[in-house]
Amino acid sequence: MRADHPLVVLVDAYGTGRHLRSAFAGLGAEVVHLSSTPEPLKSLKAPDLSSYAAALVAADPVETARRLVELRPALVVAGQEPGVPLADLMSEMLGLPTNGSALSAARRDKYLMIEAVRKAGVRCARQFRSDDADAVAAWAREQDGRPVVVKPLAASGAQGVSICTDPDQVRAAARAVLGTVTMYGETNTEVLAQSYLAGTEYIVDTVSCGGERYDAGVWRYDKRRRGAHNVSHRDVLVPPEDPVVAELTAYTHDVLDALGIEFGAAHAEVMMTPDGPALVEIGARMNGAMHPDFDAACCGADQARASALAWLRPEEFAEEFAGRTYRRLREAFVYHVATDLAGVVESVNASVLAQIDEVESVRAVTVKPGPGDRLRPTVDLPSSPLTVHMAHADAAALARDEARVLALSKEVFRLA
């Protein structure tokens, strides 16, 4: 460790959390990785631990705090969803900049999240939680025939989410969730049912610094129904001058206040209903589809760099980002390719991937399953086998290129 460099501890830097390491390193920090679980989570893209100054595994809170004190860190920051409670607790115990632990559970448990928002007087859905599928169905029966959304309490990527139109569907959906394991390795011992929010759903990404905020991006979900599942097809960048952006971001700031998120990145999903915005859920971490180069090219900045500044150099964050909104420099969307294939992947066609990468609008391609992995029909984001970041100055060219990517995507995977 170098004494002349600030040291940052990243907790569970899975997936897009890995971009925080580069962002902090770019500001001259040394970065240590802290895992909240004894073994890595296999369902998430693991961090490259060789790129960190050290890699630690959490023990009990007192022992973990003692080990961190020896490192004299400047910050402890969550890199991905499962690391939020531990990062909140360690930063609080060490007297560092923190969102605090009092509302940590509400930043992960969707029932507690909505109740905290409701308590603050912010518009939200009606809801019910139980470990009994029959009790969930009985609650649905009381909703006067309105649709009900059934979901896990602490998953992401629409995993396990079903839209149900009658109590029997609710019961079946609840049973399908109970006892399963989320992408974060947590067993669903209870299930959440919420009133269906009709309208258009948006992503609202932010970065906070002592309560000052940067609105890093607003993306409109373009979804497709696949059975009982409403699956994201594309995340489409919304022009910041669209009046919906101001309404969505103001609402999201109220949600951040209600959940005590004063520092760092947040990724909210908000439904614009006929009555106004209503929270679907929020995570105290970066957008799971965030890609620094793509975001910088399309929005003028990326969430990772803005987050690193907010945590490590608040004065620079205030000058560059506080109170500001992203720009839309070109038409852009994140394309989540769906599949109907089922089976074990024998090989991934590298030449086809190269052809996708050469399509004019394509900025980045992420392949999720590899040889030996199981491919299943898409019902949520984790089961989308390809994520393609696309941008172009011309909307017609973007649509043309999307059709080309879709055609090529059908040839990427060879099943055993």
Side-chain angles (χ1 to χ4, degrees):
M1 307 293 178
R2 296 179 58 178
D4 57 337
H5 286 242
L7 189 139
V8 175
V9 177
L10 284 185
V11 185
D12 290 344
Y14 293 98
T16 56
R18 70 188 184 278
H19 298 308
L20 283 174
R21 190 210 66 79
S22 298
F24 279 115
L27 298 179
E30 283 201 275
V31 188
V32 168
H33 189 271
L34 175 63
S35 297
S36 67
T37 56
E39 298 294 330
L41 299 176
K42 295 180 180 179
S43 59
L44 297 171
K45 182 176 177 59
D48 176 11
L49 297 182
S50 67
S51 66
Y52 288 82
L56 309 175
V57 177
D60 65 84
V62 173
E63 173 60 19
T64 302
R66 185 194 65 78
R67 293 171 66 190
L68 294 184
V69 165
E70 293 176 353
L71 298 176
R72 301 173 64 184
L75 299 166
V76 180
V77 178
Q80 185 49 271
E81 195 80 29
V84 169
L86 183 58
D88 288 344
L89 181 60
M90 290 297 103
S91 57
E92 184 177 63
M93 291 178 69
L94 273 60
L96 303 174
T98 184
N99 288 321
S101 63
L103 289 170
S104 283
R107 297 178 196 129
R108 294 225 51 227
D109 182 304
K110 293 177 174 57
Y111 179 86
L112 297 178
M113 179 185 298
I114 295 299
E115 290 308 304
V117 169
R118 191 190 319 282
K119 183 179 179 181
V122 180
R123 185 185 300 106
C124 56
R126 300 182 305 279
Q127 61 177 1
F128 177 78
R129 69 187 294 174
S130 178
D131 61 359
D132 183 343
D134 290 331
V136 178
W139 179 83
R141 195 172 289 112
E142 298 171 357
Q143 305 309 303
D144 300 324
R146 290 187 290 267
V148 168
V149 178
V150 175
K151 62 175 71 172
L153 286 168
S156 295
Q159 187 181 31
V161 177
S162 296
I163 301 171
C164 307
T165 56
D166 64 58
D168 289 338
Q169 289 181 2
V170 169
R171 182 183 294 104
R175 287 175 175 167
V177 169
L178 289 169
T180 60
V181 178
T182 72
M183 61 191 295
Y184 302 126
E186 300 161 332
T187 301
N188 292 308
T189 58
E190 292 184 288
V191 68
L192 176 62
Q194 295 177 324
S195 57
Y196 176 74
L197 298 171
T200 302
E201 189 173 358
Y202 293 85
I203 293 167
V204 183
D205 292 329
T206 59
V207 178
S208 300
C209 180
E212 294 290 328
R213 284 169 182 136
Y214 168 59
D215 296 313
V218 173
W219 305 76
R220 186 186 71 254
Y221 273 130
D222 175 7
K223 293 195 171 188
R224 301 286 189 271
R225 286 297 291 268
R226 295 179 69 86
H229 308 281
N230 211 12
V231 181
S232 182
H233 173 67
R234 298 182 305 175
D235 310 337
V236 182
L237 184 62
V238 180
E241 62 272 15
D242 188 320
V244 75
V245 170
E247 192 171 359
L248 288 165
T249 54
Y251 173 88
T252 302
H253 292 184
D254 289 342
V255 170
L256 294 168
D257 290 340
L259 293 169
I261 300 175
E262 296 188 356
F263 289 95
H267 170 67
E269 296 174 355
V270 181
M271 190 71 74
M272 180 57 78
T273 76
D275 297 322
L279 182 67
V280 176
E281 59 189 65
I282 189 170
R285 42 83 178 176
M286 294 191 300
N287 186 329
M290 195 279 297
H291 189 287
D293 292 343
F294 175 76
D295 284 21
C298 299
C299 302
D302 71 272
Q303 213 179 9
R305 179 175 172 272
S307 296
L309 281 177
W311 283 108
L312 197 60
R313 298 182 184 176
E315 296 84 4
E316 292 184 30
F317 175 87
E319 182 177 347
E320 185 173 350
F321 289 110
R324 298 188 180 184
T325 301
Y326 69 98
R327 298 173 289 158
R328 192 180 75 159
L329 302 179
R330 47 184 51 83
E331 302 271 352
F333 56 72
V334 182
Y335 180 24
H336 305 285
V337 179
T339 184
D340 292 317
L341 297 175
V344 176
V345 176
E346 181 178 282
S347 62
V348 177
N349 193 323
S351 65
V352 172
L353 287 177
Q355 291 179 61
I356 293 175
D357 198 50
E358 290 170 0
V359 172
E360 184 180 5
S361 301
V362 171
R363 298 304 181 100
V365 182
T366 302
V367 183
K368 298 177 186 178
D373 292 334
R374 182 165 292 279
L375 194 66
R376 60 188 178 92
T378 301
V379 295
D380 51 23
L381 285 181
S383 55
S384 165
L386 287 174
T387 301
V388 186
H389 291 72
M390 303 183 67
H392 201 287
D394 178 37
L398 195 56
R400 174 205 67 203
D401 289 350
E402 179 188 6
R404 174 63 175 156
V405 169
L406 175 60
L408 287 169
S409 72
K410 300 180 186 301
E411 303 174 30
V412 170
F413 301 99
R414 179 180 178 185
L415 302 187

